[in-house]
Amino acid sequence: MVPVPLHPDRQRERGYNQAELIARPLAKRLGLKLGSYLLMRTKPRPAQLVLSRSEHWKSVRGAYATRQGVRVDKLRILLVDDVLTTGATLDACSRVLKKAGAASVLGLTVARVILGSSLTASKQRTKLQSP
């Protein structure tokens, strides 16, 4: 089980990785090995709070990598994230893991944003209006 990593700057700022907080007890409960060390975020998240769908996909392209010397050959990986918005993050991470030799990658999230919903649009307007 591999939680989606934060960029080191973001991790320091926040003090925790929410995907890892979800994955740790789940891995223990399922009897799976937790591989937090397998992936790393190489590019920081853009400063904009609200990205369009295409901007989000572009922002995560090339933003993840496997750590040097780490082997994922033939592993079946359960990739864990907190929220699925566009699927871009899970896609970027799974591509990196597959390229490194993973046999398969499955994604698991706790929540999903329904794009175009009135709640999503309202939340985005609030973020844009905040100082």
Side-chain angles (χ1 to χ4, degrees):
M1 185 173 292
V2 177
V4 170
L6 294 174
H7 187 271
D9 294 343
R10 181 83 165 145
Q11 175 92 27
R12 273 189 299 278
E13 174 186 303
R14 185 178 283 172
Y16 63 92
N17 176 352
Q18 65 280 8
E20 188 168 354
L21 292 178
I22 295 164
R24 187 171 302 283
L26 186 58
K28 186 175 182 179
R29 173 83 172 159
L30 296 175
L32 299 174
K33 198 173 184 181
L34 184 65
S36 300
Y37 57 89
L38 292 175
L39 271 179
M40 63 181 180
R41 177 133 189 174
T42 57
K43 290 189 337 188
R45 185 173 170 217
Q48 307 96 323
L49 290 176
V50 180
L51 298 176
S52 72
R53 184 176 178 83
S54 63
E55 288 170 333
H56 186 71
W57 279 82
K58 287 176 191 170
S59 75
V60 295
R61 193 173 296 135
Y64 297 94
T66 53
R67 295 192 184 277
Q68 191 171 353
V70 169
R71 299 191 48 119
V72 296
D73 295 341
K74 300 179 184 159
L75 291 179
R76 293 181 303 152
I77 296 174
L78 181 57
L79 186 60
V80 178
D81 203 1
D82 58 343
V83 179
L84 174 76
T85 305
T86 65
T89 300
L90 292 179
D91 181 75
C93 290
S94 63
R95 285 177 187 272
V96 166
L97 291 165
K98 291 284 285 182
K99 188 176 179 183
S104 62
V105 181
L106 297 172
L108 174 70
T109 62
V110 174
R112 177 178 156 221
V113 172
I114 299 173
L115 298 173
S117 73
S118 60
L119 181 59
T120 302
S122 171
K123 189 174 181 183
Q124 287 179 348
R125 278 194 299 278
T126 302
K127 285 183 178 180
L128 291 173
Q129 293 170 357
S130 297

